[in-house]
Amino acid sequence: MLKYLFPLVLSLVSYFLASLAFGVSHSILLAIIVLLVVLWTNEALPLGVVSLLPILLFPSFDILSTNETTANYSNSIIFLFLGGFMIAIATEKTNLHKFVSNKLLTLFPATTRGVIYSLSFTSAFLSSLISNTTTALLLIPVAMFLTNDSKLKFRLVLAIAYGASIGGIITPIGTPPNLILMGFMEQNAMENISFINWMLLTAPLALIMLLIIPFILSLGVKELKFDVDLKNKMILNTEQKRLLYILASLIVLLFANSKIEPFYSGLGMNEKVILLSYGLLMFLPKIGFLTWEDTKKIPYEIIFLFGAGFSIAAAFSQTGLANEIANYLMELTNLPIIFLVLLVATLITFTTEITSNTALISIALPIIYSLSNAANIDPTFILLVATICASYAFMLPIATPPNAIAMSSGAVKVKDMAKFGFIFNIIGILSITFIALIYWQNYL
């Protein structure tokens, strides 16, 4: 019963506190968001159920109409991710991910440090193509069977969890905050970042993190031994080869479609249509791999979560709450750009530790957008900083889905995750700030 009462009490307290600085409607909106965030966090209700509550609550309290709210649950970005889910299910069904993982594990020496690097890079690579949640769920059982040494096991599990978070930022479909940013940019008539341009922006940052974090995780475990053969060979079967060719054609098409100014204008195709088309191709007889029964594996609760996130962002913008909060933060616009970026990166990174990164980025984007306009800063540049930081939180299980999955394995203790995670948070903040100021600011 406490799990149900606590969110309601905290929501009411939030309303009264917010009313000291905001009007009634804005205070109600903040109270509803607190209610949703706490329910997402304490899992008193299923994720999908909580994610559908804005459809009931926003019209009831005259924040958004029913049509305005439900429209966010059919945002075109959702169909891009739906296509990605279908491809991911086909990859799992054919066990192609095991072949890819096995090949990547042989790229590094069969030492403790080599395996930690292998797991991190494998996790990052898969997470850039399928969701970081799926990646962590697929790979962490592999790490659990590599060794019985608890000291090594928790580092292997963290290597996969952190690798999934690091790699999730490489493509727009790797993690939910990326898609929320793309949806927000579309809602505000901003020029979207193409698939390949996104990769060109984020890959250098991911590489820096992938070089540093596995190295730190491997410190102090040089003498530990593994219990399995790390060089087990796998051969592609006919289905896996066919899927590999299809995925290769998808990658080629995405590259050909991407606009890289001023050198190449792209094919002009809609990337959402491309991803959904390839997802539906997975059902085509003699070409695809799926039946309609396989769609039961699509995590619809995540799709509802996207809809809730887009609804929250729309409510912040349309009610004017984002602008009102931005007015309170207006003094920050006088800070030098380096301090402003550092502040945004630090606030988002550490706030994400205690709440859902999806919910947080939905709330933060409208505020940061208003703030960037007031400071005459390119909004795309600063929004990208905030979005990446929402995924680069490594301290607590609640921060990101891979962190939570790592904790659920039983191999990781909160104090160990917090100890490593705090260091990695600082490294992430500094790395993002460096890349943003040196690279993104000039590229965008």
Side-chain angles (χ1 to χ4, degrees), residues 5-327:
L5 288 176
F6 179 70
L8 291 172
V9 171
L10 197 59
S11 178
L12 289 172
V13 171
S14 300
Y15 170 78
F16 288 112
L17 291 176
S19 63
L20 299 176
F22 301 101
V24 174
S25 62
H26 291 168
S27 299
I28 291 173
L29 174 55
L30 290 171
I32 291 174
I33 291 170
V34 169
L35 176 67
L36 294 174
V37 169
V38 177
L39 286 173
W40 274 322
T41 303
N42 71 358
E43 298 179 344
L45 293 172
L47 179 69
V49 172
V50 179
S51 299
L52 289 172
L53 288 179
I55 299 175
L56 301 178
L57 297 176
F58 284 180
S60 298
F61 290 95
D62 202 26
I63 294 169
L64 294 176
S65 70
T66 302
N67 287 340
E68 288 173 329
T69 306
T70 54
N72 294 289
Y73 289 79
S74 60
N75 188 298
S76 60
I77 296 295
I78 289 173
F79 293 94
L80 180 148
F81 210 47
L82 185 62
F85 279 139
M86 294 172 182
I87 294 170
I89 292 169
T91 303
E92 294 175 43
K93 188 173 182 178
T94 60
N95 285 322
L96 181 61
H97 65 284
K98 292 183 179 178
F99 174 83
V100 173
S101 301
N102 180 266
K103 288 298 180 184
L104 287 172
L105 280 170
T106 63
L107 295 178
F108 293 85
T111 62
T112 301
R113 177 164 291 167
V115 170
I116 288 175
Y117 266 101
S118 294
L119 290 173
S120 295
F121 271 81
T122 301
S123 183
F125 175 76
L126 290 177
S127 185
S128 69
L129 301 176
I130 60 179
S131 78
N132 57 7
T133 304
T134 301
T135 297
L137 286 169
L138 292 174
L139 290 183
I140 283 178
V142 176
M144 295 293 288
F145 284 102
L146 284 176
T147 180
N148 289 320
D149 189 300
S150 59
K151 185 177 180 182
L152 176 57
K153 188 178 288 188
F154 95 83
R155 295 184 187 229
L156 298 182
V157 169
L158 285 183
I160 290 172
Y162 293 162
S165 293
I166 292 168
I169 63 110
I170 296 176
T171 63
I173 62 173
T175 186
N178 299 0
L179 290 169
I180 290 173
L181 172 61
M182 293 181 70
F184 179 83
M185 293 174 71
E186 194 169 280
Q187 286 176 341
N188 289 273
M190 298 171 63
E191 184 178 352
N192 233 322
I193 305 172
S194 72
F195 204 99
I196 301 304
N197 275 333
W198 183 292
M199 292 177 66
L200 291 174
L201 287 165
T202 56
L205 171 62
L207 182 59
I208 290 172
M209 298 293 285
L210 284 171
L211 291 175
I212 296 174
I213 286 183
F215 179 82
I216 295 175
L217 283 174
S218 65
L219 294 175
V221 290
K222 292 180 182 178
E223 305 302 322
L224 297 176
K225 302 295 182 183
F226 292 92
D227 301 326
V228 298
D229 180 13
L230 300 175
K231 297 295 183 180
N232 182 36
K233 300 294 182 182
M234 292 183 67
I235 299 174
L236 282 172
N237 61 34
T238 304
E239 276 198 337
Q240 290 170 335
K241 286 181 181 178
R242 189 165 79 250
L243 179 55
L244 197 61
Y245 294 146
I246 292 172
L247 293 179
S249 70
L250 171 60
I251 293 169
V252 170
L253 181 57
L254 288 171
F255 269 94
N257 188 59
S258 292
K259 182 168 60 175
I260 305 177
E261 295 181 345
F263 309 105
Y264 179 61
S265 59
L267 299 177
M269 298 175 66
N270 190 307
E271 289 190 341
K272 301 152 192 131
V273 173
I274 294 174
L275 263 293
L276 184 59
S277 297
Y278 269 80
L280 296 176
L281 184 65
M282 297 297 104
F283 295 90
L284 200 63
K286 298 185 179 180
I287 294 178
F289 313 88
L290 303 180
T291 65
W292 189 248
E293 288 296 309
D294 293 314
T295 60
K296 293 178 180 178
K297 297 180 181 178
I298 293 176
Y300 292 103
E301 69 274 11
I302 300 298
I303 293 174
F304 294 151
L305 182 63
F306 290 150
F310 293 141
S311 297
I312 290 170
F316 258 75
S317 296
Q318 293 183 35
T319 62
L321 180 56
N323 287 330
E324 194 165 341
I325 294 175
N327 288 334

